[in-house]
Amino acid sequence: MAKTWDEINERIVSGAAVVLTAEEFAELAAGVGVSEAAARVDVVTTGTFGPMCSSGVMLNFGHSDPPIRMSRITLNDVEAYGGLAAVDTYLGVTQQSSTRGIEYGGAHVIEDLLAGKAVRLRAWSSGTDCYPRTEIDTWVRLQDLNQAYFFNPRNAYQNYAVAVNSSERVLHTYMGTLLPHLGNATYCSAGALSPLLNDPTYRTIGVGSRIFVAGAPGFVAWEGTQHNPNQQRDEHGVPLAPAGTLAVIADMKRASTRFFAAASMTGYGVSAFVGIGVPIPVLDEEIAATLALTDADISATVFDYGVQRRSRPALGQVTYAELRSGTIEVQGKKVPTGPISSRAKAREIAAELKRWIAEERFTLAEPLKPLPQPGEQGVKPLEIRSEEAI
Amino acid sequence: MPRKRLDLTFPPRQATKPVTYHLVKDFDLVPNILRAQIHPGQEGRMVLEVTGRKEDFEAGVAFLESEGIVVKPAATDICLDEEKCVLCGLCTAVCRPGALTLNGRGDELVFDKDKCVYCEACVVACPRRAITLSF
Ligand code: SF4
Ligand code: SF4
């Protein structure tokens, strides 16, 4: 009963497509079996909403009169990259304000722009014949910009670590506050709702896939940075630790503060919650089998963040069902757990994407190029060496 | 016996006084330290839960104030800005007494006032700055 991309898209366009969220599909499959569920359903939607540091926006301000070639740029005192063309910039979410530190950063500027607020743009330049102006101080809103689009080099991590801390002291990390002596465990994945856990070997998600980014329709632009398909996998092919990633692109003008939220992680810095949703076509039973997996079937590896090295010791594996139960067992000790990635928002994203497909006839795009597959490439560390040693 | 929560601010010089000892010994009060940041020579802060008779409690507070300590009632509630909250759950990960929890499907953040010790860990941990302590 295999279906093709074209068949599924025709059903979407004609309004006949059956679309379920990953949670709904797993429930259906548990009731009627995987093959029956595969026959009945055309598309399954996924979603995730966690802090994704490797995110930011490309902005084009337009030219002032006389014009300026901006080489140092700040937005509400947050530095944006000045090494592009005259009035283009990239603003990364983790950049901190020079006046407010981690309480306000690139992510907050983006959130303010999305909320329709005016942002103070200041820029400096040494001045040239074609761009004589040396300073500018003005206010801009999202609607005033020519282009504003997300370009996020690494989003939607395929699984993530479970963080604990065996050391003597409290640690403030990007995984939240980790209490000493295995006092708590934090985890950051939408589990069974997560995009790349529902297509573990990247059969349907690749360059050019049409997806949901922060409330806007967007695309997978490339493999994400640190994409590592060679991570250890379970019997379903699902990675047990952080593996694949996506680089994504989308029109910021169509995004929403409902699906993008600035974050200040105390003791760590600024980041942003980014909503990502990916529709997965139910092409055959093999795809359906991984779509039917639940939190009880998907595991993550517990890492000790108390050891401040590149390779942190792994202290075992736990399922997302165990993590969501509120306690896990690590080294014989009961450890309370807390999430970092919002499951409520992940569910909202999967539901919104389902609505796009069913009501707005949002069709699916077959990848133009697959993501690097297991066995093709891994992640290289950065070694510290001298020029002579290279 | 009544129980009250106090928020004490110690001026730098007073930070080394064994005031809790005096509350027990001289005023028959039962103090339970919920939070303390006392460094000799620096300003300190302590959140105390005190159990005892009304007269003893008043005398104890008068003693603390005579020692130069600023005594205020401690927070008795937390205030959640639902507009800002994204239901990430980070605050639940640091709430040791289990006063903050996400309900079954993670759609609602539940606060159990009886379990809260007003340690402020959640206030610091929330990446959205959605939690403030209130009185
Ligand atoms: S103040 Fe402390 S005990 Fe109360 S809810 Fe926050 S973390 Fe929990
Ligand atoms: S940490 Fe903040 S944003 Fe996250 S659930 Fe708690 S109150 Fe909401």
Side-chain angles (χ1 to χ4, degrees), chain B residues 95 97 99-100 111 116-122:
Chain B
C95 180
L100 279 168
F111 175 58
C116 178
V117 299
Y118 303 96
C119 64
E120 294 183 26
C122 56

Side-chain angles (χ1 to χ4, degrees), chain A residues 103 184 262 264 266 342 347, chain B residues 86 93 105 107 124 127-129:
Chain A
E103 292 306 311
N184 64 352
S264 306
T266 301
S342 173
R347 196 173 291 129
Chain B
V86 294
R105 300 195 79 205
D107 292 334
V124 178
R128 297 286 296 157
R129 304 289 181 255

